[in-house]
Amino acid sequence: MASFLQHAVLYLTASATVFAAPSKRDASVCTEIRHRVPWYNLTREEKTSYIAADLCLMNSPSKGVNPLAATRWDDLQWPHVVQTATVHGVGAFLPFHRYLLTVHERLIKDECGYTGRMPYWDEIHDIADVAASDLWKDEYFGGDGTGPDGCIETGPFRNLTLRWVQNGTVEEHCLSREFSTAELQMTNQDNIDQCNAIQDYTDAWLCWFGGPHGSAGPHAAGHAAVGGVMGDATLSPGDPVFYLHHAWLDKLWWEWQQRDLPKRYTDMGGPNLPIAGNSANAQYRRVANSLCIGSVLGGQGPEFVDYFGDNGNVTTLNHRLYVAELYPNVTIADVMDLHGDVVCSEYF
Ligand SMILES: *[C@@H]1O[C@H](CO)[C@@H](O)[C@H](O)[C@H]1NC(C)=O
Ligand SMILES: *[C@@H]1O[C@H](CO)[C@@H](O)[C@H](O)[C@H]1NC(C)=O
Ligand SMILES: *[C@@H]1O[C@H](CO)[C@@H](O)[C@H](O)[C@H]1NC(C)=O
Ligand SMILES: *[C@@H]1O[C@H](CO)[C@@H](O)[C@H](O)[C@H]1NC(C)=O
Ligand SMILES: *[C@@H]1O[C@H](CO)[C@@H](O)[C@H](O)[C@H]1NC(C)=O
Ligand SMILES: [Cu+2]
């Protein structure tokens, strides 16, 4: 207990230092809550400028940590690619993706001038027919994949060149999709209610993630329903709709948190290393082991146990969320309150 407290004090000191000297890239103080609304609730102007802002990242040169990246979009995808093994199948799954959403939001605002509200994909609204969603209109995200490679051929992203492949090297490819309304059923209200009924985060996170094998849950739903790049655990942030799907999932987690506050501002747990025996994680493990690009890689060995600062195998509030230096590391504690300084948002 004493050593835990010491650790907590150190963490508070370090975190206070970060926020005492804010730079343009740092989280500032939350003075005005930003709104996140369903995609179809954005104004037409917000929709087109949101798409334009993502295109701006795709057309801006890389300034990230990996010299193989060509664009800002590659930079943004990289922290997910390189940490696939340690941000899925673990307790940090939801907090990491919560921070990644915020990083995307800051990039389009800081570097591409987006000033509108942030959208999420209201997946229940589209559950009867994925393809009918307003998202896929020609002027927005473009439609389903076609041809042998499933490349999309409509919309502003039809010429998007994606670069990362699963082993962390570069091989140029298109944005592919393969719509499936059947897969979207995993986000149905019964499944959401089931997750909401679970009392402790240690049990609940897995419900949203989608069962011990990464299937049959609200998280798997959006990924599998869009398919193609979105269906790939490592590469999914290559599809710009990834951020709308994960905002939906993040909204579900926040709604669960709000059912028991303040307790759920601090309710954290789950394994720190991907669940043993999880077939999806066996795949992540191979990816991690095949990548040899320095210490950021999430592996399985004992050397990774304390890589995120948890001081053990269980995910704690001290766990560092790393986004390849696009923005500073924060801890899980920093993102637990959606209204806190880092995220500073609310879902409507
Ligand atoms: C979004 O649009 C729906 C349907 O037009 C409307 O009922 C709802 O109040 C809107 N929500 C927000 C947050 O604007
Ligand atoms: C995509 O590429 C085609 C063929 O090179 C070109 O005609 C079209 O203008 C491009 N569209 C966009 C949105 O970049
Ligand atoms: C990485 O994966 C690509 C695509 O599967 C493959 O062509 C390439 O040889 C792999 N590179 C390494 C270093 O494993
Ligand atoms: C923690 O994980 C390491 C590496 O997988 C393992 O060797 C060790 O037994 C685990 N410790 C506990 C307490 O579960
Ligand atoms: C951020 O966290 C990662 C992973 O723990 C670590 O490797 C990196 O050095 C940290 N970056 C900074 C600037 O502290
Ligand atoms: Cu992910």
Side-chain angles (χ1 to χ4, degrees), residues 80 88 97 233 242 246:
H80 192 270
H88 299 104
H97 288 81
F242 169 91
H246 263 283

mmCIF file of all heavy atoms in Angstrom, residues 80 88 97 233 242 246, ligand 6:
data_model
loop_
_atom_site.group_PDB
_atom_site.id
_atom_site.type_symbol
_atom_site.label_atom_id
_atom_site.label_comp_id
_atom_site.label_asym_id
_atom_site.label_seq_id
_atom_site.Cartn_x
_atom_site.Cartn_y
_atom_site.Cartn_z
ATOM 1 N N HIS A 80 -1.451 3.080 -33.487
ATOM 2 C CA HIS A 80 -2.360 1.935 -33.426
ATOM 3 C C HIS A 80 -1.697 0.693 -34.029
ATOM 4 O O HIS A 80 -1.771 -0.405 -33.486
ATOM 5 C CB HIS A 80 -3.653 2.275 -34.159
ATOM 6 C CG HIS A 80 -4.771 1.313 -33.927
ATOM 7 N ND1 HIS A 80 -4.975 0.203 -34.713
ATOM 8 C CD2 HIS A 80 -5.748 1.293 -32.986
ATOM 9 C CE1 HIS A 80 -6.049 -0.448 -34.270
ATOM 10 N NE2 HIS A 80 -6.534 0.176 -33.228
ATOM 11 N N HIS A 88 -5.312 -3.869 -27.441
ATOM 12 C CA HIS A 88 -6.515 -4.678 -27.675
ATOM 13 C C HIS A 88 -6.437 -5.908 -26.768
ATOM 14 O O HIS A 88 -5.358 -6.407 -26.488
ATOM 15 C CB HIS A 88 -6.594 -5.134 -29.137
ATOM 16 C CG HIS A 88 -6.662 -3.988 -30.099
ATOM 17 N ND1 HIS A 88 -5.598 -3.589 -30.852
ATOM 18 C CD2 HIS A 88 -7.672 -3.140 -30.399
ATOM 19 C CE1 HIS A 88 -5.950 -2.547 -31.596
ATOM 20 N NE2 HIS A 88 -7.204 -2.243 -31.333
ATOM 21 N N HIS A 97 -8.228 3.973 -26.850
ATOM 22 C CA HIS A 97 -9.000 4.457 -28.004
ATOM 23 C C HIS A 97 -9.687 5.790 -27.697
ATOM 24 O O HIS A 97 -9.858 6.617 -28.578
ATOM 25 C CB HIS A 97 -9.971 3.374 -28.491
ATOM 26 C CG HIS A 97 -9.263 2.231 -29.180
ATOM 27 N ND1 HIS A 97 -8.653 1.207 -28.492
ATOM 28 C CD2 HIS A 97 -9.028 1.987 -30.487
ATOM 29 C CE1 HIS A 97 -8.092 0.369 -29.358
ATOM 30 N NE2 HIS A 97 -8.306 0.811 -30.583
ATOM 31 N N ALA A 233 -7.681 -5.624 -37.445
ATOM 32 C CA ALA A 233 -7.436 -5.145 -36.076
ATOM 33 C C ALA A 233 -6.277 -4.145 -36.011
ATOM 34 O O ALA A 233 -6.304 -3.220 -35.206
ATOM 35 C CB ALA A 233 -7.141 -6.327 -35.171
ATOM 36 N N PHE A 242 -13.289 4.919 -38.982
ATOM 37 C CA PHE A 242 -12.811 4.322 -37.722
ATOM 38 C C PHE A 242 -13.110 5.243 -36.545
ATOM 39 O O PHE A 242 -13.547 4.797 -35.484
ATOM 40 C CB PHE A 242 -11.302 4.077 -37.833
ATOM 41 C CG PHE A 242 -10.607 3.719 -36.541
ATOM 42 C CD1 PHE A 242 -10.467 2.386 -36.151
ATOM 43 C CD2 PHE A 242 -10.068 4.704 -35.715
ATOM 44 C CE1 PHE A 242 -9.811 2.049 -34.971
ATOM 45 C CE2 PHE A 242 -9.416 4.375 -34.533
ATOM 46 C CZ PHE A 242 -9.289 3.044 -34.158
ATOM 47 N N HIS A 246 -15.309 4.333 -33.258
ATOM 48 C CA HIS A 246 -14.767 4.296 -31.903
ATOM 49 C C HIS A 246 -15.381 5.359 -30.992
ATOM 50 O O HIS A 246 -15.453 5.169 -29.775
ATOM 51 C CB HIS A 246 -13.231 4.313 -31.900
ATOM 52 C CG HIS A 246 -12.693 2.917 -31.766
ATOM 53 N ND1 HIS A 246 -12.672 2.251 -30.564
ATOM 54 C CD2 HIS A 246 -12.251 2.046 -32.697
ATOM 55 C CE1 HIS A 246 -12.213 1.024 -30.760
ATOM 56 N NE2 HIS A 246 -11.954 0.870 -32.037
HETATM 57 CU CU CU B 6 -8.136 -0.500 -32.173
#
